[in-house]
Amino acid sequence: MNYSNINVVISTYLKVDRSFKQKLSNIWYKSCAFDDRRQFKYIALGSRFFHTSHARRQVKKDGVEVLLSPQEVTVILRKNEYNKDFPYGSVKSYDSNQLSSNVPIEDTRCEARCKMTSGFLMGVFDGHGGPACAQVISKRLFKYIAAALLPLRLLQKYIKQDPRELLIETFNDRAEIVQDLKSIYDNSFNKFLNKLLLTAKDEINIEASLKNAIMELDRDLSREVVDLYKENNTVNHKTLSVALSGAVACMSYIDGPHMYVANVGDCNAVVGTMNEDNEWFAQKITKEHNTENFDELKRIWNEHPDEERKTVIRRDRLLGELAPLRSLGDYRYKWPTEILSELVVPLIGQKAIPANYYTPPYLTAKPDIFYHRLTPKDKFLIIASDGLWDMMTPLQAVKLVGEHMKGKVFFNPLKLPKKNIQLGDLNDLLMHRKESLKSKPKDRNAATHLIRHAIGGTEYGVDHSRLAHLLSLSPDVSRMFRDDMTVTVVYFDSEYLRQCPA
């Protein structure tokens, strides 16, 4: 790690004002402990999972640049892939993967099963201004949601338990929150439980519960900085780095045929559906919260005086700085000027207060909640950060996963029918399999399949030279060509959904 380039650790290309990022990097630097100059671990999360794959370079032999081999490319692409099968229910399995462009990667993901109620939670979190906020949200949000989904009887039972059973079972969870932050977060969660107890009912409104959990966690990110300052006149640099960085989020809650998607920012969720003619159709569930969404522009304009019309959105960014128009964290765009002046300006200077910052808050974490009733025609859900959607359309992604579903069966050995089979029939079966093997994908994991095509795809297929070149770029250059990518593909059990009552 080059210390002079530490700003790369907390930066995303053109999403936050660059001079501010350089100041903010000083806070993040104080929150990091370096280990032999090659790897480092965050104070926010005691993990090295997010940043061990950044040493990607083109090799030079006798002055000649040599591309990564197909095998080397595949090793890089498959480094973070994961898949999980489930024995029963509407969710049959899921594939996930991540590929970094930033070092460390600013995306995170989480998948979990609710233990005291039914249902699965799947989420993708895209950070900016550093990875801190996205990492912390991925570790905390599903616990808040699982608690908010408890009816009164179960909530009372849970609060009385000592020790308490786990609310969620997470999968592929490789990071742990360090102890001093864990105690702060546990205290916030206990206060959230007590608030829920005051309003909990026997009948759960899922949409309201999702919204409440997301908004309450976002408010806790602020309280964990401001309350300490008010009590002791001190600033916790760790919680401050989480509150000042930000993250957009897209997560789904799936319980039988009922699917809810909560979206904050510019990640997207797309359902792959097969119509009556066996053709793939992409149902885009979410709407991005950015300047391409005119309803979002109108909302922000209406929340501020007319004289701010020209300054609240500039250069297609909030206050000329932030690309997503909703996010968690990012309290530089939410706190009153007085709080920014007291807590942040002494550490990083006047740039802590954005230009034309007259009537905060300018930003909200309020999610849009979408409901979709799953049918047997719905085959899978793709949740991905904008790093994927910048490179392909929803329909392209759905067709790629659909083709992958058809081709991946050939990763399994051929099984002959149990009944007697004639040699002629066996020959036809083998010839059909031989022909179909042409569609066998390179990767078993559908998320890897999507990332491979997003980076190296052309109208004629995957171009190895393009793929190898883009994977070889150093992080400071790579971000100009592609973003971090996080992809989760959730497969539905069509037979289960067929038996669900209408």
Side-chain angles (χ1 to χ4, degrees):
M1 170 69 64
N2 183 344
Y3 283 35
S4 65
N5 289 332
I6 189 64
N7 60 302
V8 175
V9 172
I10 56 90
S11 300
T12 53
Y13 181 64
L14 291 181
K15 280 202 173 183
V16 180
D17 178 74
R18 187 166 299 278
S19 61
F20 169 68
K21 286 189 291 187
Q22 291 169 347
K23 298 275 190 177
L24 183 58
S25 70
N26 294 328
I27 291 181
W28 189 243
Y29 178 88
K30 293 172 187 175
S31 302
C32 294
F34 283 83
D35 181 2
D36 77 5
R37 288 177 169 261
R38 288 171 296 177
Q39 294 179 330
F40 58 91
K41 55 186 178 181
Y42 310 128
I43 293 297
L45 291 174
S47 168
R48 293 183 185 176
F49 167 62
F50 297 97
H51 45 76
T52 55
S53 61
H54 64 271
R56 300 171 189 160
R57 300 287 188 275
Q58 289 172 312
V59 181
K60 291 191 175 182
K61 295 180 179 179
D62 301 325
V64 178
E65 214 170 57
V66 180
L67 285 177
L68 295 168
S69 69
Q71 293 78 16
E72 289 171 323
V73 164
T74 295
V75 167
I76 292 171
L77 291 178
R78 294 180 182 173
K79 183 175 181 61
N80 294 318
E81 67 180 14
Y82 181 82
N83 73 283
K84 176 75 176 176
D85 297 320
F86 300 100
Y88 179 77
S90 57
V91 175
K92 183 164 59 176
S93 63
Y94 77 87
D95 293 348
S96 71
N97 200 357
Q98 291 184 283
L99 181 70
S100 66
S101 181
N102 295 292
V103 175
I105 187 171
E106 295 183 329
D107 284 5
T108 56
R109 35 129 296 277
C110 189
E111 305 86 41
R113 179 178 66 87
C114 296
K115 296 196 70 176
M116 293 189 70
T117 57
S118 57
F120 288 88
L121 294 162
M122 308 277 179
V124 166
F125 312 95
D126 184 353
H128 47 261
C133 187
Q135 289 179 8
V136 167
I137 288 167
S138 71
K139 293 294 294 184
R140 300 176 67 185
L141 179 57
F142 284 1
K143 192 176 175 183
Y144 275 63
I145 290 174
L149 291 171
L150 292 176
L152 178 59
R153 177 182 57 83
L154 288 180
L155 180 61
Q156 290 171 330
K157 176 185 174 183
Y158 176 73
I159 290 176
K160 291 177 183 177
Q161 288 176 351
D162 186 20
R164 291 173 180 163
E165 65 177 286
L166 294 176
L167 276 172
I168 56 173
E169 176 190 5
T170 57
F171 312 106
N172 192 30
D173 188 357
R174 306 184 188 183
E176 286 294 332
I177 295 174
V178 293
Q179 191 57 44
D180 57 340
L181 285 181
K182 187 175 184 301
S183 61
I184 295 173
Y185 296 159
D186 286 347
N187 183 53
S188 295
F189 183 67
N190 287 331
K191 290 180 179 178
F192 175 56
L193 290 175
N194 291 329
K195 288 181 182 178
L196 287 176
L197 201 56
L198 298 175
T199 57
K201 300 177 181 179
D202 292 327
E203 293 294 324
I204 292 296
N205 182 319
I206 294 177
E207 180 175 336
S209 296
L210 293 173
K211 194 169 296 185
N212 180 37
I214 291 170
M215 294 290 285
E216 195 65 27
L217 175 57
D218 186 60
R219 286 190 284 264
D220 279 346
L221 298 182
S222 172
R223 294 187 192 109
E224 288 155 3
V225 180
V226 176
D227 288 358
L228 176 67
Y229 179 77
K230 289 180 178 178
E231 291 170 8
N232 303 323
N233 201 33
T234 59
V235 176
N236 185 321
H237 288 182
K238 298 172 189 176
T239 56
L240 181 62
S241 68
V242 174
L244 290 182
S245 59
V248 298
C250 183
M251 53 79 51
S252 68
Y253 171 68
I254 304 168
D255 186 7
H258 306 291
M259 183 177 78
Y260 294 82
V261 176
N263 190 55
V264 182
D266 52 10
C267 295
N268 276 307
V270 175
V271 172
T273 302
M274 183 171 279
N275 64 20
E276 292 81 358
D277 300 322
N278 292 325
E279 296 175 333
W280 287 107
F281 175 70
Q283 297 185 68
K284 189 163 176 275
I285 304 296
T286 48
K287 295 179 181 178
E288 299 97 328
H289 298 131
N290 56 26
T291 54
E292 294 179 11
N293 182 340
F294 189 65
D295 288 337
E296 273 298 283
L297 289 177
K298 287 195 296 183
R299 177 187 66 80
I300 291 177
W301 286 330
N302 290 336
E303 289 176 355
H304 300 278
D306 289 343
E307 52 265 32
E308 290 190 60
R309 181 98 175 198
K310 292 183 179 179
T311 58
V312 67
I313 299 292
R314 292 188 302 119
R315 303 193 299 271
D316 291 330
R317 280 167 165 71
L318 184 70
L319 297 175
E321 295 184 354
L322 193 66
L325 302 183
R326 299 191 200 186
S327 72
L328 290 94
D330 279 318
Y331 270 91
R332 182 169 170 257
Y333 307 97
K334 298 175 181 177
W335 278 332
T337 305
E338 296 76 19
I339 292 181
L340 288 174
S341 297
E342 288 184 49
L343 273 67
V344 189
V345 170
L347 292 170
I348 58 179
Q350 285 298 323
K351 267 293 185 180
I353 303 175
N356 305 302
Y357 196 74
Y358 305 122
T359 56
Y362 288 89
L363 196 62
T364 180
K366 183 179 180 180
D368 280 339
I369 311 292
F370 305 90
Y371 173 76
H372 179 78
R373 167 85 187 206
L374 295 171
T375 73
K377 295 178 182 178
D378 298 324
K379 304 302 180 183
F380 53 83
L381 169 71
I382 305 170
I383 307 177
S385 57
D386 64 345
L388 180 80
W389 305 117
D390 288 344
M391 309 291 272
M392 63 175 59
T393 67
L395 183 58
Q396 287 172 328
V398 165
K399 286 184 174 180
L400 282 168
V401 176
E403 292 167 3
H404 186 268
M405 286 178 65
K406 179 182 177 182
K408 72 177 181 179
V409 299
F410 297 103
F411 284 112
N412 301 320
L414 173 64
K415 290 184 179 180
L416 295 177
K418 292 183 179 179
K419 63 181 182 179
N420 294 331
I421 184 170
Q422 301 296 318
L423 285 176
D425 295 333
L426 178 60
N427 181 67
D428 291 343
L429 180 65
L430 293 174
M431 292 301 293
H432 175 73
R433 183 175 175 86
K434 180 181 178 181
E435 183 64 27
S436 298
L437 275 169
K438 295 177 182 177
S439 65
K440 179 181 177 182
K442 221 171 184 52
D443 307 290
R444 283 177 178 265
N445 187 295
T448 308
H449 184 70
L450 284 174
I451 292 172
R452 184 186 292 273
H453 280 79
I455 298 174
T458 69
E459 57 183 312
Y460 306 108
V462 175
D463 183 333
H464 171 70
S465 296
R466 172 185 170 84
L467 187 59
H469 179 69
L470 287 175
L471 289 177
S472 301
L473 298 174
S474 60
D476 52 336
V477 176
S478 172
R479 189 60 186 85
M480 301 177 67
F481 294 89
R482 62 179 180 86
D483 199 353
D484 298 329
M485 292 185 191
T486 298
V487 182
T488 300
V489 181
V490 184
Y491 292 100
F492 302 124
D493 188 326
S494 298
E495 192 57 38
Y496 178 92
L497 293 172
R498 190 172 288 112
Q499 295 173 11
C500 290

